[in-house]
Amino acid sequence: MPLDEEGIQVSQILYTEEYRSVMGLLRALQTNEEYSDRALFITQEAIRLNAAHYTVWQYRYHNIINLKKDINKELDWVEEIAIENTKNYQIWNYRQLLLQAQENPDPKREFPLIEVMLDEDSKNYHVWSHRKWLVKFFNKFDEELTFVDQFIEKDVYNNSAWSHRYFAIFGDAQINKKTITNDIFEKELEYTKDKISIAPQNVSSWNYLIALFEVTGNNLSQLEEFARSYANVLSSDADVEKIKSVPALEALVKIYVKSNPELATKGYDLLATKYDTIRKNYWEYKKKSISI
């Protein structure tokens, strides 16, 4: 079944003859819902030419299941493809489908691959997302904080690592019905403050800090003194030239929205006109929501 290239095309894709041939065969096999070794071979060739073709992966999965192929061997094959296509999301989704289809999936073969991939690119969002899925699937939260710590230590700006830290603590609490004690809160509070001292402008650590208060129900006003040490530009003794952290100013505004609307308004003005002008419209919109 040839590729449909008739009609007006705004931006025509110049397919190679090899690609046309492989995809034409693939379309014919899919239309006939054929599950066979030759269909598996064609999916392999199609993935070699375009590993991001989601429909091909889906068709390959149905072939593996219907032909009752060895899933461990398929996982080995996918591992090779993953290493060659590090930013490909479809590969990880396919791998998850295979693990779910196994009677006794083995976590020991999965996590080492993730570590290798993250050693190569510590901010690979697709790999972090897959690790999150694996942790939930196998319910293996015990070592996640230790694992993620090493990435934050290497690069405090690694937003994916901060996001995973949040999941390692609060995802575990939600899934396994654990209580976030005050000791855990205080420990995370000091940990995050320490990382902020290293990089005060780091949005990732400030977002984690704010989320820490929001998810535990602690009053954000407890952060006022800490935030002022990085952005003392709102109070009467303020010096608008002295600011170490724009995220700290944002945190102060969050605090003052309820407790001191006048200072919150001043903060939004400073963000809109001086410190975060690229989001001027957003800050002006937020200012309008304040009741003075």
Side-chain angles (χ1 to χ4, degrees), residues 8 12 53-54 63 76 97 117 136 147 180 232-233:
I8 298 174
Q12 186 174 10
H53 200 308
Y54 180 81
N63 269 274
D76 288 339
L97 290 174
M117 300 288 280
K136 291 174 67 176
F147 175 79
I180 301 297
N232 184 30
V233 294

Side-chain angles (χ1 to χ4, degrees), residues 93-111:
N93 180 70
Y94 180 68
R95 198 169 184 90
Q96 290 165 16
L97 290 174
L98 293 176
L99 291 171
Q100 289 173 312
Q102 275 191 309
E103 187 173 343
N104 294 301
D106 183 9
K108 291 182 180 180
R109 69 171 296 153
E110 293 303 307
F111 287 97

Side-chain angles (χ1 to χ4, degrees), residues 73-85:
K73 288 184 179 180
E74 183 68 1
L75 286 169
D76 288 339
W77 177 79
V78 178
E79 187 170 316
E80 294 178 8
I81 304 299
I83 291 173
E84 295 172 0
N85 298 269

Side-chain angles (χ1 to χ4, degrees), residues 261-274:
E262 290 185 5
L263 287 184
T265 299
K266 181 181 178 182
Y268 282 138
D269 283 335
L270 286 173
L271 286 166
T273 62
K274 187 177 180 65

Side-chain angles (χ1 to χ4, degrees), residues 1-3 17-34 38-39 41-43 45-46 59:
M1 295 182 63
L3 297 175
E17 286 304 315
E18 181 184 19
Y19 189 85
R20 293 174 191 272
S21 175
V22 170
M23 296 309 297
L25 289 169
L26 181 74
R27 290 181 63 186
L29 295 171
Q30 282 183 294
T31 300
N32 292 330
E33 296 185 357
E34 177 178 320
R38 72 174 184 171
F41 174 76
I42 289 298
T43 61
E45 291 301 292
Y59 181 49

Side-chain angles (χ1 to χ4, degrees), residues 228 230-244 266 270 274-275:
R228 282 189 61 187
Y230 291 100
N232 184 30
V233 294
L234 300 181
S235 58
S236 58
D237 60 339
D239 182 346
V240 294
E241 297 303 323
K242 293 183 178 179
I243 181 169
K244 301 176 183 177
K266 181 181 178 182
L270 286 173
K274 187 177 180 65
Y275 296 117

Side-chain angles (χ1 to χ4, degrees), residues 66-92:
N66 280 277
L67 298 174
K68 295 181 171 53
K69 294 293 185 178
D70 187 334
I71 291 181
N72 281 322
K73 288 184 179 180
E74 183 68 1
L75 286 169
D76 288 339
W77 177 79
V78 178
E79 187 170 316
E80 294 178 8
I81 304 299
I83 291 173
E84 295 172 0
N85 298 269
T86 58
K87 296 297 179 73
N88 185 303
Y89 172 75
Q90 287 81 4
I91 289 172
W92 302 110

